[in-house]
Every structure is written in structure tokens, then in C-alpha cells.
Amino acid sequence: MDLQHWLGRATHEIQNWADTYGAYDTHPSLLVDEDRFATAFGELTGRLKNNYPFFHPRYAGQMLKPPHPAAVVGYLTTMLINPNNHALDGGPATAAMEREAVARLAAMFGYDTHLGHLTTSGTIANLEALFVARELHPDRGIAYSADAHYTHGRMCRVLGLEGHPVPTDNRGRINLDALEELLRTGRIGTVVLTAGTTGLGAIDPVHLALPLARKYGARVHVDAAYGGFFTLLAGADGPEGLPPEPWRAIARCDSIVIDPHKHGLQPYGCGAVLFRDPEVGRFYLHDSPYTYFTSTDLHLGEISLECSRAGAAAAALWLTFQLLPPTPDGLGQVLAAGRRAALRWADLITASSRLELYQQPELDVVTYFPTVEPATLTAVNAASARVLTDGMTVPDPVFLSTLRADREAFGTRHPKVTADADGARILRSVLMKPESEHHVDDIHARVEALTG
Ligand SMILES: *Cc1c(COP(=O)(O)O)cnc(C)c1O
């Protein structure tokens, strides 16, 4: 895709449409001098160079990557009009696109009915799911694993709900015995299960936790903000295929959050929440004297906590799905490449005498640490920190991230490392760009060299 060509086409098409309304003069208060603009623009592009190269295969750190060119063109084209998806009065075309894109997400998870919408982020999407959880069970709390995203605990405080962290097992998944013990107290109204934890990519056993929750009358919300699109690899042939059971069980859970701005090739500002029962829309009912006037159809703002939202985000996702739909043959191929890259790197680390795998990657997150002698948490921590910093500052750089593992979590995986501290930082690489598949050997060699 020739981005320059399509961005030129975008300004042209939108200008043609604007011209049908007749010419008018821009107000003098808005006019800016070309030379002054050029100076300011130069300063902007200069300052933007203070960034990590998220687009490059040598960036193997956090969950960051640029959007697909289709999403960029979809977003920027639509932004020239700047519709607001709060109401059909603010953006009829993009509201329709949002509903179509959301329906595709619901179908991807196997929901046969749904009510859902895009949000600004996964955090807001989860807030909405917990808000509905509170409305349905006002007197009961929320259970989530100790490895769940930190915002669940925070949003419980926002909503005035009791949050209950549940211990994890030796692969970072919610401990079912501990969960059942908690459910037995009758204090839990909703269980949050994570399909792909942010730190390790661990997948809570949704198929086993769901019947447990039901037995005790609790609802189930699945936080698949990061991992959701990996459902496209459930039961797939080849090394990238994932055990299907937890993914298939999501279809029977009450709500789901997924972030198209993580694995859906979108720019930031695109999360989504889906409810299986459309009746929960009643909790959002509100009167607004200044919106909702051109249509009696459902406005997206009538089913979301946020008011203004970028119609451009919906257009970007819609356009991307026309080309790379959320199917195994479409977007699934993008995720498969990252997953194969993670597996390949895990093999290289396992065979290496300089690095050790923290745990086998569950999705596309690889966690590892330098081999140290004597093997203590303090030494692991220092060596990881050094590789991280040196990696970014040496010529021929490689960009990684770190994850803090506490003493217990580390000990269950690596009992031979002496626990002389509360925990240790280890190295973490999210291989979410499909190009990683062709560069893991190179990245591995760089990281190995950094341990020397
Ligand atoms: C990223 C993430 C979130 C938060 O989403 P944002 O879009 O960053 O607000 C919540 N849960 C999980 C599992 C995540 O990975």
C-alpha cells in the first residue's frame, strides 16, 4: 500500500465532498503563516524522534506497534470530517461502521447475541463490564487473578466494589481451588478471567472456571484486551495452534473486552466491550436534552459510559476488517507469525547457555533472564537490568522490556535460583509484529551477546 498516494486521495475525496456545500472563507483568526507552520512542524518532527522504533523488528519490548496502513488511511480520512460516534446525529456513517465491526468481533468469539460498542481503551471497556457487574450484583464483589491487569483492582475502587485477587498457578493462570474457596463464601458476583495476561500471556482456564462460577451463581467477564484475537488460532493446525477449550468457552461467558489497538492493527483509542445479553443496555439509560434528535434508532451513546468518541476509530477498524477480517485466514495469519516467532525464540533460549527461559510462551510473550553464577534473584535482577539498558544504548541496538517476578512466582518455576530478595526483574519481549518471525535469530544473537 502506497501510504502517500492514499493520504493524497483522502484529502482530495473529502475536499470534493466538502465542496458540494459551497465555498466560504476561513476566518482570519484561524489563518497561520506557511513559514511559521514550517518551523513549528520541523520542531514537531524533530521532537518525535525521541521515540523507540516500535515499527522495527529490533523493537522486541512492550505491546507496541504501529497501526496497519489501512487503519492509518481509514482514521486520517475520517478525521478530516471528525464524526463523533456518541450519537447518530454526530456520525451516522461511522456509527453504522462501528456496529458492523463490533458484530464481527462478537461473531469471532461465537456470541449468538450481543450488545457492544467500541471504547477509548481496554481500561474503559473493563470499567463498563464491571459497572454492569455491579448493577446486577450490587452487594457482591469481583474476583480476578493476581496476574490480572492492575486496572481491575483500581476500577473496583472506583465503583465501590470489593476486589478479590486470587493466586495463580505455576504458569500464571488463576488457581481454581483458590477461586472455588472464594466463591463458596458467596461474596463474589462476577469472576474476571483473563485470556492472555499482560505480563506472561497466560490464559485462565475459562472452560473450567465458568462452570465453577455458575455453580455459585456468579457471572463471568473475560478480559481479552491483549489476547482476544488469539482465539483465531484456537485448534489451528501447525505449531501456532492453541488448545481450543478455553477459547471456545468464551462464547458462554457474560461479557468480553478486546483491544483492537493491541492486536487488531489499530491506532490507540480503540477498545471494545461486548455483552452476551443485550438486555444489559437498560443500565445505561439516561436522558440527554442536547443529543439524539435525528433518529429514534439506538445511538451508541445510549449504551456506553463515555460520551464523545472518535468516529475515525470505528472507520479505521471497519476498513481494516474489509482487508484483514477477524478470521483464521485473515488477521489469524498475522497472529500466527508472532506466535511462531515466540516459539522459535523459546527454543533458541532453551538451547542457550547464556539465557534461561522463565516459562514457555503461552501466546507471543517471551520471558527469559541471563544465566548468572551464583544463581540468585539479586544477580538475575541486575543482569536483566543491564541487558535492557545496554541493549538500547549500544550501536546496533535491540529494545526489550522487563517484568517483575516476585519470589514465589520465580521459585515455583526456578527453584534452583536462590531467593535472596523479594523478587527480580526478568526480560520480556512481546513479538506482536509478524516480521518478528524473520528476525528472531538475529534478536536472539544480539541479546546473547549482551549477556557477555
Ligand atoms: C492492555 C490491557 C488492559 C488495559 O487496556 P488499555 O487499552 O491499555 O487501557 C486490560 N487488560 C489486559 C489483559 C490488557 O492486556
Side-chain angles (χ1 to χ4, degrees), residues 63 120-126 147-152 194-199 223-227 257 259 261-262 268 270-271:
M63 283 170 192
T120 298
S121 68
T123 301
I124 297 297
N126 277 316
D147 279 9
H149 200 266
Y150 74 92
T151 49
H152 290 289
T194 307
T197 58
T198 316
D223 180 1
Y226 149 66
V257 159
D259 261 355
H261 70 203
K262 283 202 180 121
Y268 285 117
C270 196

